Amino acid sequence: MLVRLLSALTLALALLWYRSGRVLRANVLSVPPLPQNYFQGGDWQTHCSLVTNDAHDELRYCEDITFWDHFDANGTQTDRHNTVMGPLRDPAPRGHLFLYPARSGKAADSKLQKLKLVGHPPHHDFHPLGLEAAPSRGDGQPSNLFVVNHARDASTIEHFLLDPSRPDEARYVRTLRSRWLVAPNAIALTGPSSFYVSNDHLLTRRLPGPLGRVLPLLETVLGLPLGWVAHFTIDETTGSVLEHALSAPGIPFANGISLSPDGRTLAVASTSTAQLLFYMRDLSTNSLTHEDTVALPFLPDNIGYDDTGALLATGHPHFPSLAAVASSPSPSPSSSSSSPVSGDATSPSWAVSLTHLPAMNLANPTAFAKRIYDSRAPLSASALVPAAPMAYDVETVFQSDGTSTNGIGMSSSSTALRDPATHSVYVVGLYGEGMLAWYEHSEALLAIAKSLQVSRWAAPGPVRATAFDDTEDSPWRAWAWYCRS
């Protein structure tokens, strides 16, 4: 019997190493030698600033940020109650949503503000995770904002309205519940009231007793393909689910998702396999067909397309460091230290940009597949993973070892956004503090940005193009983000 057990264990470990050996070597067994900070566009010491709010303790643990075209919106906060990484300490404190108007590409010109959740039932938990806002239609009408909420008893999706005339509030509409929302993580809108949503686990931390502590961890570490992406269409009048479809099953730890600007490609981050999955989308049925897979040098968290069609992927280069930060005690709310907010532990950060390459006729495809890429970064992605398929070029946007100097730094990066119009990049951390903003301080670039027309609508049909305007009366864009408490 003992021989059989040892044989089975050996076989299981061999299969695990065969399937996840690259991830174990690069992201578990070794700490990548990352720089303190690196931004693709220039000197981080002169071009970076840390955006915080007046109540210093509130702007922490920001999981997700997204653009709302009329304003930017960003943030979610989940320290004491995190159903994905843990811990499940206290579901009572509420998370927050913040708004940051990115009018001119300069931090001094914008002020962060916490949104009032108008009409949200006071007895409802609010622990936001992923979120996305529909762009303003240009007629002054409110936009839909959908936020994943990991409440104490069940995960839901909260539906709010963002009104350009009342940029300091998110007006509650309804709470969407479904038996298919097992472990919802990220949202990608396909219309004002329809969206894809990823479910990162089938086995969740809500399982009773030791099952909730052991089984989700096994699902993550073993890379079990139990996550999925589903598509929902809701009735805006009643809030009932008009349609639900299982769009992409069998994804290990399906995390961030994003729809390309033309609406034809859905990208999905598979965290436990350190890969991005690309699916072709049928515009009429919303069905998905797997097209490409790209390996990354880190465990991807959230992803997002920018206006040029490049995909930004952000994540965690070293899983043990992330787990150490997650399990560290939180500092007191009165702490004003610029060090990471989860004790003294830090976790490295990495964000890359993936650009779709045109079709090429190569004389030596094998040599091209073995090429060195991402050569400008202090630690090239090609040092950890082979070249991506010919369809994509990968380049580092941001790297950090997780430490901070003079308040500038970001531990455990979870999301990065890039605004090509102002050449700005924004990064938040799963267990970090504030939002790291990088600006290209160039008046010539800002003048060009004012003449650009941008659209962030990722669905077929009419789109709204918004001209850059940095006046108080004509805000341009903002982020929505959730921050955990």
Side-chain angles (χ1 to χ4, degrees):
M1 179 62 70
L2 180 60
V3 173
R4 290 182 178 179
L5 289 176
L6 290 176
S7 299
L9 179 60
T10 301
L11 178 60
L13 291 175
L15 290 174
L16 176 62
W17 186 260
Y18 173 78
R19 188 172 184 274
S20 305
R22 177 184 66 84
V23 175
L24 291 172
R25 290 191 300 271
N27 307 118
V28 177
L29 299 180
S30 61
V31 181
L34 293 167
Q36 182 178 9
N37 279 301
Y38 163 79
F39 268 99
Q40 180 187 46
D43 185 359
W44 65 270
Q45 298 186 70
T46 58
H47 289 243
C48 285
S49 61
L50 190 68
V51 178
T52 60
N53 68 326
D54 295 334
H56 197 66
D57 61 291
E58 289 184 333
L59 195 56
R60 293 173 167 173
Y61 317 109
C62 291
E63 156 74 17
D64 198 8
I65 54 177
T66 187
F67 282 117
W68 171 37
D69 268 337
H70 201 88
F71 284 93
D72 287 338
N74 86 57
T76 46
Q77 181 183 354
T78 311
D79 170 41
R80 297 172 187 157
H81 187 76
N82 186 334
T83 61
V84 182
M85 285 292 297
L88 299 179
R89 294 176 187 153
D90 185 3
R94 282 188 163 198
H96 308 291
L97 296 177
F98 290 86
L99 196 72
Y100 182 78
R103 293 186 175 94
S104 63
K106 295 180 180 179
D109 296 341
S110 300
K111 183 176 178 59
L112 187 75
Q113 58 183 347
K114 184 170 69 173
L115 295 182
K116 294 178 288 187
L117 304 183
V118 178
H120 195 254
H123 61 280
H124 278 200
D125 296 329
F126 189 58
H127 298 283
L129 197 67
L131 77 170
E132 186 157 3
S136 173
R137 299 183 177 95
D139 54 6
Q141 295 300 309
S143 301
N144 283 331
L145 169 66
F146 295 98
V147 183
V148 172
N149 180 19
H150 281 202
R152 73 184 74 194
D153 296 323
S155 293
T156 62
I157 293 179
E158 305 295 316
H159 181 190
F160 296 93
L161 289 179
L162 296 175
D163 191 335
S165 65
R166 296 180 177 179
D168 62 339
E169 66 180 41
R171 186 167 295 276
Y172 173 76
V173 179
R174 60 177 60 90
T175 297
L176 304 176
R177 295 180 173 85
S178 171
R179 61 190 178 93
W180 299 105
L181 297 175
V182 177
N185 191 300
I187 293 174
L189 292 177
T190 58
S193 55
S194 59
F195 49 83
Y196 291 106
V197 59
S198 61
N199 282 264
D200 52 59
H201 283 74
L202 177 64
L203 308 173
T204 73
R205 295 178 66 88
R206 288 195 175 91
L207 293 173
L211 295 179
R213 294 189 294 270
V214 175
L215 293 184
L217 180 62
L218 288 177
E219 182 178 339
T220 299
V221 173
L222 298 178
L224 300 181
L226 300 180
W228 69 93
V229 173
H231 187 268
F232 285 83
T233 302
I234 67 169
D235 187 318
E236 284 201 76
T237 302
T238 65
S240 60
V241 176
L242 297 178
E243 178 190 13
H244 168 270
L246 182 61
S247 304
I251 302 174
F253 203 144
N255 201 326
I257 57 176
S258 185
L259 200 61
S260 62
D262 64 5
R264 298 179 182 276
T265 301
L266 183 78
V268 183
S270 174
T271 300
S272 55
T273 61
Q275 292 178 331
L276 294 180
L277 310 178
F278 292 87
Y279 295 85
M280 291 187 300
R281 174 186 172 224
D282 187 308
L283 299 180
S284 59
T285 65
N286 291 305
S287 63
L288 300 175
T289 303
H290 181 257
E291 183 179 28
D292 277 317
T293 299
V294 176
L296 294 178
F298 53 82
L299 308 177
D301 198 325
N302 288 311
I303 58 179
Y305 282 97
D306 68 14
D307 293 326
T308 68
L311 179 71
L312 264 69
T314 312
H316 314 287
H318 189 234
F319 179 74
S321 295
L322 179 66
V325 173
S327 60
S328 296
S330 301
S332 64
S334 60
S335 172
S336 59
S337 171
S338 61
S339 61
V341 294
S342 291
D344 295 324
T346 62
S347 178
S349 299
W350 201 333
V352 299
S353 172
L354 288 87
T355 305
H356 198 276
L357 296 174
M360 296 179 289
N361 293 320
L362 300 173
N364 191 342
T366 302
F368 183 80
K370 295 180 180 180
R371 72 193 186 280
I372 295 177
Y373 63 99
D374 190 30
S375 58
R376 293 192 295 174
L379 177 60
S380 170
S382 63
L384 300 180
V385 295
M390 285 187 245
Y392 293 93
D393 184 44
V394 179
E395 189 169 14
T396 292
V397 175
F398 170 68
Q399 286 180 338
S400 174
D401 61 6
T403 61
S404 175
T405 298
N406 297 325
I408 303 300
M410 184 55 63
S411 175
S412 62
S413 61
S414 56
T415 310
L417 290 180
R418 182 169 59 191
D419 185 357
T422 58
H423 289 236
S424 305
V425 177
Y426 311 96
V427 183
V428 294
L430 184 62
Y431 297 98
E433 179 172 340
M435 176 179 64
L436 194 61
W438 185 91
Y439 300 97
E440 178 70 57
H441 296 305
S442 168
E443 296 302 324
L445 286 173
L446 292 176
I448 294 173
K450 290 185 179 183
S451 67
L452 292 177
Q453 298 288 319
V454 298
S455 171
R456 299 211 43 93
W457 192 233
V463 300
R464 186 184 76 85
T466 307
F468 182 96
D469 192 334
D470 61 358
T471 64
E472 286 294 327
D473 294 333
S474 301
W476 181 49
R477 64 171 7 170
W479 317 297
W481 45 339
Y482 104 71
C483 287
R484 301 172 300 218
S485 55

